[in-house]
Amino acid sequence: MLHSILPHITDGSSIGTLPSSLKAMVVAGIFNSKKCPVLWIVSDTDEMYRTVDDLNLFIDTGDVCGFIPYDVRPYEEDSPSKEVVSKRISVLHGLLKGRPLVVVAPIDAITSSTIGKQDFI
């Protein structure tokens, strides 16, 4: 079935309103055939965790990463937790090393600032 769907998707840039499990299967098919990084943007953290779970049915769990948002609100004096910072750096490091990954990220995770590429060297 996947082989009949993939040719109809142009560059995998958008897979529209398919059910989430079918989206995961299509993204997994694209990832497994091209072995290149894939960014899947979702609306919130709960959807990110559901999407990662769906993808783990089709892709090795080491190739799927959730890019979690910082756990602080804007204009607060708090710093993000070390666990959140560590997970974000781990995803960025894997991408910079050229590792093919499927990164699932909520919008607020990709719109916030992060460590620069020059800081990894």
Side-chain angles (χ1 to χ4, degrees):
M1 179 175 161
L2 182 60
H3 297 293
S4 62
I5 295 172
L6 285 178
H8 301 288
I9 299 173
T10 58
D11 296 329
S13 58
S14 175
I15 53 176
T17 59
L18 298 173
S20 61
S21 56
L22 185 55
K23 286 180 188 179
M25 186 179 82
V26 170
V27 168
I30 293 168
F31 176 76
N32 287 329
S33 67
K34 295 189 177 189
K35 287 295 183 194
C36 64
V38 175
L39 174 62
W40 184 340
I41 302 171
V42 295
S43 61
D44 58 34
T45 306
D46 290 337
E47 186 178 359
M48 178 196 71
Y49 287 119
R50 285 191 305 271
T51 302
V52 167
D53 286 343
D54 286 345
L55 284 167
N56 284 334
L57 296 172
F58 304 106
I59 302 173
D60 181 33
T61 57
D63 293 334
V64 179
C65 301
F67 192 65
I68 58 178
Y70 290 120
D71 54 351
V72 294
R73 293 198 170 117
Y75 309 111
E76 285 187 359
E77 298 284 329
D78 295 338
S79 296
S81 70
K82 291 178 182 178
E83 180 183 353
V84 168
V85 172
S86 173
K87 286 181 181 181
R88 289 174 61 94
I89 288 173
S90 176
V91 172
L92 294 172
H93 185 259
L95 290 170
L96 285 173
K97 289 290 184 184
R99 219 174 128 215
L101 297 171
V102 177
V103 178
V104 182
I107 291 174
D108 55 344
I110 61 171
T111 56
S112 57
S113 61
T114 191
I115 190 169
K117 182 178 178 180
Q118 68 279 2
D119 295 326
F120 280 94
I121 299 172

